[in-house]
């Protein structure tokens, strides 16, 4: 298959899309992987009141939760609605949750809906559709399908919201800090986190029903309410897990599923986290080589010593965070979040090098900007990526590590990703952030069993993906018995976001006409 270069006439829109979407598909570093849900005790018959809903589509201005989203959502091309689902599928007549939807109606006669999740857990599908609107409006899929993004439970405009900490506490760093693992070093800290999350989320029931099992069942309600006999779905990153779980649970209800930046279904939660850090290290090594091409590289002329140089630059921040022009401080944890986010796309590497150069010279403003981009923090101080929901979902999805296992995981991450091998990240005694969670996890490992009776699916996997390594994409395609599109490049996520006509044409043909690519199909970014 012929590979295509980046298209110049699309670069402006793509730059906007990448900036808006990078943090919406990031959060795989912060948790473990979930498992496919078996149908609960609630049957379709129990859900009749939910399946018969008629969405009340209207303008989106009043659904935004931040000033930045309000500006995006005001576009008259967009429509919004919400769908009621059971808070607990074992009690369908009990409390209800509301899932926010955003729709770009098909420009021609609609053949159904393309349901989208951009990743996380913690990414907003409504924000994703609004942020990438110019790309969808130029896309042939939007001629025949309604483009529908949704906010999973706890996220964006969906209710109940899940909150453990305020935006102001995130600004101040008064939250669990993430390096190799969360900086939780006692059982008391784990208890405090669980209690704060329960209190901020309106109670334990709201908190413990946020897992991926329920999100997948919500997706089936959405499919029915949208009027689709079968699901057409696009999932990035963590969204690939949701798509695979749906396929395993409802194979007879699948029309087409695209999984971009697919998560490895054959790894344990800890194994996947280790593989992600190894991917980040590989991209940092590439960045160091790029930097070394300049005679004044902040990481030095020898990429082999770049980890040590990085440690020299950031070590002073372990004890004394750096001040910034807006009055906030940058900690060593902030620096590593900023670097990690910048490694998600090769296009961002010069920004990382520039921010490190400025940081060594005493100016932390560039690194703060990278850190804020990781969180999708807007100018008004709102956090677009929801790490509180990320924690809640992951804690309900996967087996929990003992303190000994969590500590060993931190050590192993330091070994496979030596850029992270600082004592502040790897030399402590750590407890799982989920240790005191008020309900047991809902899934065992491995999280994806064999799937039978499934139509052809499509996995898109980038060879140099920094957090969902290509090997995981291969394993996902094999697990689903579907097609694999290999994409040469160094970026997380390819369809629409990579500027590759080759990738977009392959995915469009599959979504529109169920045309799968040939074996060994290959594109490049």
């Amino acid at each position: 298959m012929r590979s295509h270069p980046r298209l110049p006439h699309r670069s402006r829109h793509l730059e906007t899309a990448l900036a808006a979407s990078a943090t919406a598909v990031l959060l795989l570093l912060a948790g473990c992987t979930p498992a496919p849900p078996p149908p609960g005790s609630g049957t379709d018959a129990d859900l009749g009141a939910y399946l018969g809903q008629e969405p009340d589509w209207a303008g989106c201005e009043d659904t935004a939760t931040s000033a930045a989203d309000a500006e995006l959502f005001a576009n008259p091309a967009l429509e919004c609605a919400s769908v009621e689902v059971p808070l607990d599928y074992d009690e369908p007549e009990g409390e209800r949750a509301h899932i926010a939807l955003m729709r770009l109606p098909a420009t021609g006669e609609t053949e159904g809906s393309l349901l989208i999740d951009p990743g996380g857990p913690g990414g907003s599908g409504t924000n994703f559709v609004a942020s990438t609107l110019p790309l969808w409006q130029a896309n042939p899929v939007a001629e025949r399908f309604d483009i529908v993004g949704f906010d999973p439970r706890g996220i964006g405009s969906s209710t109940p919201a899940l909150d453990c900490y305020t935006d102001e506490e995130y600004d101040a760093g008064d939250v669990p800090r993430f390096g190799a693992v969360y900086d939780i070093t006692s059982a008391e800290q784990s208890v405090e986190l669980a209690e704060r999350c329960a209190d901020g989320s309106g109670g334990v029931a709201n908190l413990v029903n946020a897992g991926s099992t329920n999100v997948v069942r919500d997706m089936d309600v959405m499919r029915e309410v949208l009027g689709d006999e079968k699901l057409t779905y696009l999932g990035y990153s963590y969204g690939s897990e949701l798509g695979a779980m749906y396929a395993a649970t409802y194979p007879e209800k699948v029309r087409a599923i695209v999984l971009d930046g697919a998560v490895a279904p054959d790894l344990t939660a800890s194994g996947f986290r280790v593989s992600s850090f190894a991917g980040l290290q590989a991209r940092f090594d590439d960045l160091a080589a790029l930097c070394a091409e300049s005679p004044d590289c902040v990481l030095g002329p020898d990429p082999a010593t770049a980890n040590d140089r990085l440690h020299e630059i950031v070590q002073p921040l372990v004890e004394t965070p750096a001040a910034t022009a807006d009055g906030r401080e940058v900690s060593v944890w902030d620096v590593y979040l900023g670097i990690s986010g910048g490694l998600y796309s090769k296009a961002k590497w010069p920004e990382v090098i520039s921010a490190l150069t400025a940081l060594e010279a005493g100016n932390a403003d560039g690194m703060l900007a990278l850190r804020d981009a990781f969180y999708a923090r807007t100018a008004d101080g709102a956090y677009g990526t929801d790490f509180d929901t990320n924690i809640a979902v992951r804690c309900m999805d996967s087996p929990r590590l003992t303190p000994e296992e969590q500590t060993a995981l931190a050590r192993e991450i330091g070994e496979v990703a030596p850029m992270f091998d600082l004592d502040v990240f790897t030399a402590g005694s750590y407890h799982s952030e989920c240790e005191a969670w008020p309900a047991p996890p809902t899934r065992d490992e491995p999280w994806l069993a064999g799937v039978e009776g499934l139509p052809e699916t499509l996995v898109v996997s980038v060879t140099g993906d920094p957090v969902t390594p290509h090997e995981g994409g291969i394993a996902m395609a094999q697990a689903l018995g579907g097609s694999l599109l290999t994409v040469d490049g160094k970026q997380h996520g390819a369809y629409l976001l990579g500027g590759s006509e080759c990738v977009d044409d392959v995915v469009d043909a599959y979504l529109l006409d169920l045309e799968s690519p040939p074996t060994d199909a290959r594109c490049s970014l």
Side-chain angles (χ1 to χ4, degrees):
M1 177 170 294
R2 184 167 61 95
S3 298
H4 296 260
R6 183 178 295 274
L7 302 179
H9 73 279
R10 296 175 61 184
S11 61
R12 180 173 61 85
H13 290 327
L14 284 162
E15 190 67 26
T16 300
L18 283 168
S21 304
T23 53
V25 296
L26 290 182
L27 302 170
L28 291 160
L29 291 180
C32 335
T33 52
S41 61
T43 65
D44 285 348
D46 298 323
L47 300 178
Y50 298 97
L51 302 179
Q53 295 176 78
E54 294 281 345
D56 185 15
W57 296 104
C60 298
E61 298 90 340
D62 296 334
T63 66
T65 58
S66 71
D69 273 359
E71 184 175 349
L72 284 172
F73 289 13
N75 193 308
L78 298 170
E79 301 174 347
C80 286
S82 68
V83 172
E84 288 189 340
V85 295
L87 180 66
D88 182 348
Y89 277 91
D90 287 339
E91 299 179 5
E93 296 183 359
E95 295 294 322
R96 299 187 174 195
H98 295 80
I99 308 302
L101 304 178
M102 175 180 285
R103 178 175 74 172
L104 172 66
T107 56
E109 184 176 351
T110 182
E111 299 176 20
S113 305
L114 172 63
L115 192 67
I116 302 173
D117 182 271
S124 162
T126 60
N127 173 274
F128 181 81
V129 169
S131 299
T132 55
L133 182 61
L135 298 177
W136 289 113
Q137 289 175 317
N139 188 290
V141 175
E143 297 175 14
R144 290 165 49 185
F145 286 83
D146 298 335
I147 307 302
V148 180
F150 71 101
D151 291 347
R153 293 171 176 235
I155 296 168
S157 301
S158 293
T159 58
L162 301 181
D163 289 305
C164 309
Y165 297 90
T166 66
D167 289 343
E168 291 75 18
E169 286 172 317
Y170 272 97
D171 270 357
D174 295 332
V175 299
R177 300 171 297 187
F178 187 77
V181 296
Y182 277 104
D183 183 33
I184 296 175
T185 57
S186 69
E188 290 75 18
Q189 286 178 298
S190 296
V191 169
E192 179 186 5
L193 172 60
E195 290 178 344
R196 285 199 58 137
C197 291
D199 292 344
S201 303
V204 168
N206 293 339
L207 190 64
V208 302
N209 280 293
S212 298
T213 296
N214 281 339
V215 176
V216 168
R217 299 202 70 182
D218 294 345
M219 289 167 56
D220 197 52
V221 173
M222 286 181 253
R223 176 199 57 76
E224 183 75 23
V225 170
L226 290 170
D228 296 334
E229 181 180 353
K230 295 188 176 183
L231 179 73
T232 301
Y233 175 79
L234 167 64
Y236 294 90
S237 198
Y238 163 71
S240 74
E241 300 178 28
L242 295 177
M245 292 162 67
Y246 186 95
T249 310
Y250 305 105
E252 75 285 358
K253 297 181 181 180
V254 170
R255 174 188 174 271
I257 287 180
V258 176
L259 308 179
D260 191 342
V263 174
D266 56 339
L267 297 179
T268 65
S270 296
F272 173 66
R273 186 178 289 191
V274 169
S275 75
S276 295
F277 275 94
L280 281 174
Q281 181 66 54
R283 300 293 75 79
F284 182 73
D285 293 344
D286 291 337
L287 178 147
L290 174 67
C291 182
E293 296 175 2
S294 172
D296 56 351
C297 170
V298 66
L299 294 172
D302 182 3
T305 64
N307 296 314
D308 292 337
R309 279 289 297 132
L310 176 62
H311 296 169
E312 291 175 7
I313 295 167
V314 304
Q315 190 62 46
L317 277 67
V318 173
E319 296 296 334
T320 307
T324 63
D326 77 347
R328 288 189 288 149
E329 294 182 332
V330 172
S331 70
V332 67
W333 288 272
D334 294 325
V335 170
Y336 271 80
L337 291 178
I339 293 173
S340 297
L343 292 175
Y344 274 60
S345 172
K346 186 176 181 179
K348 301 283 285 185
W349 294 358
E351 294 181 37
V352 176
I353 295 170
S354 177
L356 282 171
T357 302
L359 183 65
E360 187 182 40
N363 184 339
D365 290 352
M367 193 58 68
L368 180 64
L370 287 173
R371 175 265 186 203
D372 285 351
F374 183 91
Y375 281 115
R377 184 187 185 275
T378 61
D380 61 348
Y383 282 68
T385 302
D386 191 338
F387 265 70
D388 292 348
T389 298
N390 179 274
I391 292 173
V393 172
R394 294 309 198 185
C395 287
M396 289 308 302
D397 278 350
S398 300
R400 293 160 196 173
L401 300 186
T402 65
E404 293 76 18
E405 292 168 334
Q406 187 82 341
T407 299
L409 176 61
R411 305 281 196 276
E412 184 177 4
I413 287 170
E415 293 173 359
V416 302
M419 63 179 288
F420 285 87
D421 194 16
L422 291 171
D423 285 351
V424 70
F425 295 150
T426 63
S429 178
Y430 301 100
H431 288 245
S432 168
E433 66 273 18
C434 305
E435 183 176 274
W437 218 247
T442 57
R443 296 274 61 95
D444 296 320
E445 295 175 326
W447 61 271
L448 184 64
V451 183
E452 297 180 359
L454 184 65
E456 186 85 350
T457 57
L458 175 60
V459 172
V460 180
S461 183
V462 180
T463 56
D465 191 312
V467 284
T468 54
H470 181 51
E471 293 78 10
I474 295 172
M476 179 68 86
Q478 291 174 342
L480 297 178
S483 297
L484 173 69
L485 175 62
T486 297
V487 183
D488 294 310
K490 296 176 181 178
Q491 180 172 299
H492 185 47
Y495 177 58
L496 288 188
L497 306 178
S500 170
E501 187 179 87
C502 175
V503 172
D504 294 352
D505 286 350
V506 169
V507 177
D508 290 346
Y510 169 73
L511 287 173
L512 288 169
D513 300 316
L514 303 180
E515 178 184 323
S516 296
T519 303
D520 299 326
R522 206 169 191 102
C523 293
S524 65
L525 298 180

